[in-house]
Amino acid sequence: MPAGIMIPATHMPSMMGRNGNVAAYGSSSGLSLGQPNMMDGQLHPLDMTQNTSESEIARLREDDFDSKSGSENHEGASGDDQDPNQRPKKKRYHRHTQHQIQEMEAFFKECPHPDDKQRKELSRELGLEPLQVKFWFQNKRTQMKTQHERHENTQLRSENEKLRTENLRYREALSNASCPNCGGPTAIGEMSFDEHHLRLENARLREEIDRISAIAAKYVGKPVVNYPLIPPQVPTRPLDLGVGNFGAQPGLGGELFGASDLLRSINGPTEADKPMIIELAVAAMEELFRMAQMGEPLWLPSLDGTTTELSEDEYIRSFPRGIGPKPAGFKCEASRETAVVIMNHISLVEILMDVNQWSTVFSGIVSRAMTLEVLSTGVAGNYNGAFQVMTAEFQVPSPLVPTRESYFVRYCKQHADGTWAVVDVSLDNLRPSPVVRCRRRPSGCLIQEMPNGYSKVTWVEHVEVDDRGVHNIYKQLVNSGLAFGAKRWVATLDRQCERLASAMATNIPTGEVGVITSQEGRKSMLKLAERMVISFCAGVSASTAHTWTTLSGSGADDVRVMTRKSVDDPGRPPGIVLSAATSFWLPVPPKRVFDFLRDENSRSEWDILSNGGVVQEMAHIANGQDTGNCVSLLRVNSANSSQSNMLILQESCTDSTASFVIYAPVDVVAMNMVLNGGDPDYVALLPSGFAILPDGTTTHGGVIGEVGSGGSLLTVAFQILVDSVPTAKLSLGSVATVNNLIACTVDRIKAAVSCENA
C-alpha cells in the first residue's frame, strides 16, 4: 500500500486477531489462517477470526503489540454446524510470557527474518511451537511496517500543509501587488519582466540625472546642458594587478585570499547620502584651493629651510568645518609640493579622473583602486563638476609597512582663472566598517596650464593616520613624508610624464641600440615592461589582499613568503608560484645601490640564477632624462654550452623618493613576437626585483639621524614557479629553496655594496 494513502477500515479485510497479532500481509500462511478446512469442517487450532468488530480493530491498533503479543487458541465448531441452543465453549487464552517476548524482541533486532532452523532453536529455548514463533515474527514485521507508514503519512501531511500555506501567501501577495513606479495595481502578462524592469530603471536614471545636474549647476555656477548619462567606469584592468590570485596556502597560514573588506564590501552611497557628499566635496575644494596658495602662518618653514610644515593650530582656526576632529591615537601628516611636468593640463585631469589611468601612473603608490559610483560626469562635455565616490589602497613597496585604505569622494572643478583642481576627502562617517586607520582630509592638486604643453602642479597631501603598524626601520621614512607625502606623488608624476612622452615619441632616438627596428615593436616592449612594473608593485606590499608568512629571522631581515595559483591567466605561467620578499637597511646612499643593481656588468655579483654567465644588453629604450630610467632586454650567455641562453626584460626607474629595478625572464619566441609589434598581454611574466627607498634620516640640509647618514631601505622580492600544475601541493623543500635563494642574494648585495662603500 503506497505511503500517504489511507483506506477506511470498512473496506479493508481484517488482518488482526483479538489478541492483537497481525497476519503477515501477502503471506500465504497468514492468509490461510482464517480459511475453513474443507476436509473436516474444523478451524485450525491457531486460526484467527475475521469477525472482529471495527471498534475492536481501532482499540487493538492503539494497544502496544509487545504487551499483548502471543497466540490465542480457541476451540469449537464452525458457525454453520453450531447448535443455536448449545452454549459455546469457554475460550482458552495462551499469552507469551514477558521473558519470551523479551527474547524474541532481542532476536528480532539481530535478525528480523529467521529461517526454519533458527525458529526451531528459538521455540525450543522458549518452550513455544515453531509456528507460534513464525507468526510472532510475521506480526512484528507487519507492526514495524505499519508504524513506518504511519510516521511517513504524518510527515507528508505536515509538508503538504506547509506548501498549502505558502501557496496561499504567494497568491495573496500577488493579488495585492502594486507598481512601484505609478502605485497602481499590476497587470500580469501585459509586459515581460525584463521590459518592466528596464522601464523602472529608465525612470530612476532620468530622475537621478535631473537631480545631479541641478546640484552640479548650483555649485559650478554654469547653466545645465543636456548630456547623456555615462555609467560608472568599470576597470578594464584587474584592480589587483599582480596579486589577483595571491594568498597563503593552507600549510602557510590561511586559505586563498579574497579582496580586502574595504574594496569588496563597500557599496555605492545611498540616495540620502549623496547631497551631503556633494556638499562635503564642495567645501573640500575650497579648502584645497586655499591650502595650495596660502603661506605663513598656515605653512611654516622647516628647521633646515628646505620644506614647509603645516601648523595644526592655524589649520583648525582657518578651517573649522570639515570631517571632524582628529581621532585619538592618530597622527597628522601634511605636506605640499610644486613641480612643472611635461604634460598638458587636460591630459593630467583625465589621468586623475580615470581610475585605470590613475592607478597605472601611480602604481608604486596605489596598489588597488575602484570607482564605486559616479555622482556626476561633469558639464559642458568635460570633467568640470564631476563627482566620483572611490576607494583605494595606498602602499609603500615593502611588506613591513601596512597599506592605507581610504573611502573618499573625488571632485574636479575648473576655476575662473583656468586653473583645474582635483580634490579627495574621506567619507568615513558613511563607511560601514568601524575600524578606520586612515582619513584623507582635503587632499589633491591644482593644475595650471604652462607654455609648450607643460603644466604646473601644486600637490597637497593631508591625512590623519594610525601608523603604529609601521616597522621601526621605516618609521623615519614615513615621518619624513617621503613615503606617502606630496613630494612622492609629485616625483612619481614627473617621472611617469617623462615615460609617457617617451612612449608617444614618433621617432626612435639615435641613442637606442639593439634589436628594436620598428616603432610598433618599441611600443609593445614598453607596454610589456609597464605591466611587469605594475605586477611587481602590487605584489610586494603588505596589502590586505594577500597574506605574508614569516619564515625565518627575528627582525627586519625576516623572509616573508606567499603563494598563489595561476590558472587561465595568459599573462602568467600556469602553476604554483611562490613569492618571497625581505626588507633591510644598507649604509649606502640609494643612488649607489640603484646603479649597482641595474648595471648588467655587475649583475653576476648578485644574480645567482644567471649562474655566472655573461650578461649582454640586446635592446635599450630610454624613458626619462635620468640615465637610470630605461627599459632593457638582456641576454645571459651561459658559461655552460649545454644550457640555452636566457632573455631578461628589465626596467629601471628612479626619482628623488624611490627607485626600482624590476626584471623577469621571458621566452625567446614570445619576445620576438613583441619586438615585431605583437600583443604583449599574452606574454607570461613572473617579475622579481628591488625597491630602493631613502631611509629618511638625511635631508638636503645634511641632518644625520640615528641609523646612519643617507642610508637605503632595500626590498628584495622574488617570484618562482615551483610547480607547473596549479593543483599541486607546495612542498617544504620548495619553500626552503626560495628562502635560501633570497638569503644568498641579500648576503651578496650586502658584501658588494659594502666593498664599494669602503
Side-chain angles (χ1 to χ4, degrees):
M1 182 173 61
I5 303 177
M6 302 298 294
I7 301 178
T10 54
H11 303 293
M12 183 174 66
S14 175
M15 302 295 294
M16 311 177 77
R18 289 192 184 95
N19 64 344
N21 289 334
V22 184
Y25 186 76
S27 171
S28 59
S29 59
L31 289 175
S32 65
L33 291 179
Q35 303 297 332
N37 192 326
M38 301 305 294
M39 296 182 64
D40 56 12
Q42 298 289 327
L43 290 175
H44 193 279
L46 295 174
D47 66 339
M48 299 181 183
T49 178
Q50 291 185 342
N51 296 328
T52 309
S53 66
E54 292 185 18
S55 62
E56 287 182 17
I57 291 176
R59 178 181 59 78
L60 291 171
R61 282 179 175 170
E62 295 173 0
D63 291 343
D64 186 85
F65 282 100
D66 297 344
S67 62
K68 292 191 174 184
S69 178
S71 301
E72 180 185 337
N73 298 338
H74 52 83
E75 297 176 356
S78 65
D80 295 337
D81 299 337
Q82 185 177 355
D83 189 308
N85 297 324
Q86 183 179 356
R87 189 175 182 180
K89 294 182 180 181
K90 185 178 180 180
K91 298 178 180 178
R92 298 196 307 271
Y93 291 91
H94 298 282
R95 299 195 180 279
H96 299 322
T97 65
Q98 191 68 24
H99 172 69
Q100 291 172 335
I101 294 174
Q102 290 176 352
E103 290 295 325
M104 286 190 288
E105 287 279 3
F107 196 92
F108 182 84
K109 291 180 181 179
E110 299 294 333
C111 180
H113 295 272
D115 55 23
D116 291 340
K117 183 178 180 181
Q118 290 173 317
R119 286 197 297 268
K120 288 179 182 180
E121 181 68 23
L122 193 58
S123 64
R124 184 181 61 78
E125 292 178 359
L126 301 178
L128 297 173
E129 293 294 331
L131 204 55
Q132 288 178 295
V133 175
K134 177 180 179 180
F135 293 154
W136 188 92
F137 274 88
Q138 288 176 345
N139 294 342
K140 184 66 176 177
R141 288 193 296 270
T142 306
Q143 173 195 1
M144 298 299 292
K145 179 180 178 183
T146 304
Q147 288 178 348
H148 177 70
E149 290 178 349
R150 190 175 301 162
H151 177 68
E152 216 171 41
N153 272 343
T154 304
Q155 281 186 324
L156 290 172
R157 192 178 294 112
S158 175
E159 292 177 6
N160 190 25
E161 191 63 30
K162 288 180 182 178
L163 292 174
R164 192 191 309 276
T165 304
E166 191 173 358
N167 192 14
L168 290 175
R169 190 174 77 251
Y170 285 149
R171 285 177 179 272
E172 183 179 356
L174 196 60
S175 62
N176 297 330
S178 60
C179 176
N181 193 27
C182 65
T186 57
I188 306 299
E190 286 186 359
M191 67 177 66
S192 67
F193 174 81
D194 290 338
E195 183 181 357
H196 185 65
H197 179 74
L198 288 174
R199 287 176 182 269
L200 295 179
E201 183 71 9
N202 193 26
R204 186 189 68 80
L205 292 174
R206 191 180 299 111
E207 179 184 357
E208 182 177 0
I209 191 175
D210 293 339
R211 183 175 55 80
I212 296 298
S213 299
I215 294 174
K218 173 184 175 183
Y219 288 115
V220 175
K222 293 184 178 181
V224 179
V225 297
N226 293 326
Y227 59 95
L229 182 67
I230 302 176
Q233 294 169 325
V234 179
T236 56
R237 175 174 63 90
L239 297 177
D240 48 354
L241 265 167
V243 294
N245 294 318
F246 272 95
Q249 291 287 353
L252 291 176
E255 297 294 331
L256 290 176
F257 76 95
S260 69
D261 292 339
L262 174 70
L263 294 179
R264 293 292 187 186
S265 63
I266 292 184
N267 297 319
T270 62
E271 292 296 325
D273 292 332
K274 290 178 181 178
M276 182 176 65
I277 291 175
I278 292 178
E279 289 181 13
L280 182 63
V282 171
M285 176 63 72
E286 180 184 354
E287 179 177 324
L288 174 72
F289 206 79
R290 292 175 60 190
M291 288 193 65
Q293 295 180 334
M294 291 175 66
E296 296 186 30
L298 181 64
W299 293 97
L300 302 175
S302 61
L303 294 177
D304 59 0
T306 58
T307 58
T308 57
E309 298 175 352
L310 180 70
S311 170
E312 292 190 46
D313 294 336
E314 185 64 27
Y315 171 79
I316 295 174
R317 284 193 294 268
S318 302
F319 306 102
R321 297 172 58 194
I323 59 176
K326 180 173 64 176
F330 277 43
K331 192 183 74 172
C332 174
E333 293 181 3
S335 56
R336 183 174 66 177
E337 192 74 20
T338 301
V340 176
V341 299
I342 181 172
M343 182 174 289
N344 66 70
H345 60 292
I346 300 299
S347 299
L348 281 177
V349 170
E350 289 181 354
I351 288 175
L352 296 174
M353 297 304 294
D354 184 337
V355 69
N356 292 331
Q357 297 186 55
W358 179 62
S359 56
T360 297
V361 169
F362 296 100
S363 59
I365 307 174
V366 181
S367 57
R368 290 177 299 162
M370 179 186 299
T371 298
L372 298 176
E373 187 166 348
V374 177
L375 303 184
S376 173
T377 56
V379 294
N382 55 37
Y383 284 106
N384 184 23
F387 294 87
Q388 299 177 3
V389 177
M390 304 175 65
T391 180
E393 185 180 56
F394 306 105
Q395 66 172 357
V396 168
S398 170
L400 300 183
V401 182
T403 54
R404 298 178 176 182
E405 295 179 344
S406 186
Y407 174 51
F408 57 93
V409 59
R410 176 165 291 180
Y411 173 36
C412 178
K413 180 181 179 181
Q414 184 181 17
H415 291 266
D417 60 353
T419 300
W420 286 81
V422 178
V423 66
D424 299 342
V425 62
S426 284
L427 303 174
D428 296 309
N429 54 336
L430 305 178
R431 183 174 180 166
S433 173
V435 180
V436 177
R437 301 189 184 279
C438 177
R439 298 202 312 169
R440 282 178 75 76
R441 287 193 176 272
S443 303
C445 64
L446 267 60
I447 305 171
Q448 295 175 279
E449 184 180 4
M450 301 283 288
N452 303 324
Y454 284 66
S455 299
K456 180 182 179 181
V457 176
T458 301
W459 201 289
V460 175
E461 196 68 18
H462 189 188
V463 300
E464 293 167 344
V465 64
D466 179 3
D467 64 350
R468 287 172 291 185
V470 178
H471 196 280
N472 287 333
I473 68 171
Y474 278 88
K475 281 189 175 179
Q476 287 182 300
L477 172 68
V478 174
N479 294 337
S480 69
L482 295 179
F484 295 99
K487 186 176 182 63
R488 186 169 180 225
W489 285 94
V490 170
T492 302
L493 178 63
D494 187 21
R495 172 171 52 81
Q496 289 285 45
C497 286
E498 290 183 359
R499 190 187 196 282
L500 290 172
S502 173
M504 291 186 294
T506 56
N507 59 332
I508 301 177
T510 56
E512 296 183 1
V513 297
V515 294
I516 304 175
T517 57
S518 67
Q519 183 65 26
E520 292 76 15
R522 185 176 185 272
K523 288 184 178 180
S524 293
M525 185 169 166
L526 285 173
K527 186 178 179 182
L528 180 62
E530 180 185 65
R531 178 163 67 87
M532 177 181 67
V533 172
I534 293 172
S535 176
F536 174 85
C537 292
V540 76
S541 68
S543 172
T544 56
H546 45 69
T547 303
W548 289 103
T549 302
T550 303
L551 282 187
S552 63
S554 57
D557 290 348
D558 291 343
V559 176
R560 288 162 171 80
V561 298
M562 62 181 172
T563 62
R564 66 171 172 80
K565 295 181 180 180
S566 177
V567 183
D568 297 332
D569 186 352
R572 305 178 185 279
I576 301 293
V577 177
L578 181 63
S579 298
T582 187
S583 297
F584 55 95
W585 178 79
L586 285 172
V588 182
K591 179 170 175 51
R592 186 176 300 175
V593 178
F594 172 71
D595 289 338
F596 168 75
L597 292 174
R598 75 177 182 88
D599 187 0
E600 69 272 14
N601 296 320
S602 59
R603 189 180 188 94
S604 58
E605 296 184 39
W606 59 264
D607 190 359
I608 299 174
L609 298 180
S610 64
N611 200 21
V614 178
V615 181
Q616 178 185 0
E617 187 176 52
M618 304 294 295
H620 179 95
I621 301 176
N623 55 14
Q625 292 184 2
D626 193 296
T627 56
N629 291 328
C630 63
V631 176
S632 302
L633 182 63
L634 308 177
R635 183 175 66 185
V636 180
N637 299 313
S638 175
N640 189 348
S641 59
S642 62
Q643 296 180 354
S644 59
N645 295 334
M646 178 172 59
L647 289 181
I648 296 176
L649 178 67
Q650 175 178 294
E651 174 158 356
S652 58
C653 49
T654 183
D655 57 52
S656 60
T657 62
S659 302
F660 297 89
V661 178
I662 303 167
Y663 63 92
V666 289
D667 181 69
V668 175
V669 176
M671 199 63 222
N672 283 330
M673 180 268 296
V674 170
L675 294 175
N676 289 325
D679 187 358
D681 290 340
Y682 294 94
V683 178
L685 290 177
L686 281 181
S688 300
F690 308 93
I692 309 149
L693 304 176
D695 61 7
T697 59
T698 300
T699 62
H700 296 292
V703 178
I704 299 175
E706 297 178 358
V707 178
S709 175
S712 304
L713 295 172
L714 178 61
T715 297
V716 183
F718 287 155
Q719 289 191 77
I720 305 295
L721 183 68
V722 295
D723 200 308
S724 59
V725 180
T727 57
K729 299 294 183 181
L730 181 66
S731 66
L732 292 179
S734 300
V735 176
T737 300
V738 175
N739 189 23
N740 292 333
L741 174 64
I742 199 168
C744 292
T745 304
V746 168
D747 290 340
R748 288 191 175 193
I749 293 174
K750 287 182 177 179
V753 298
S754 297
C755 292
E756 287 189 3
N757 198 36

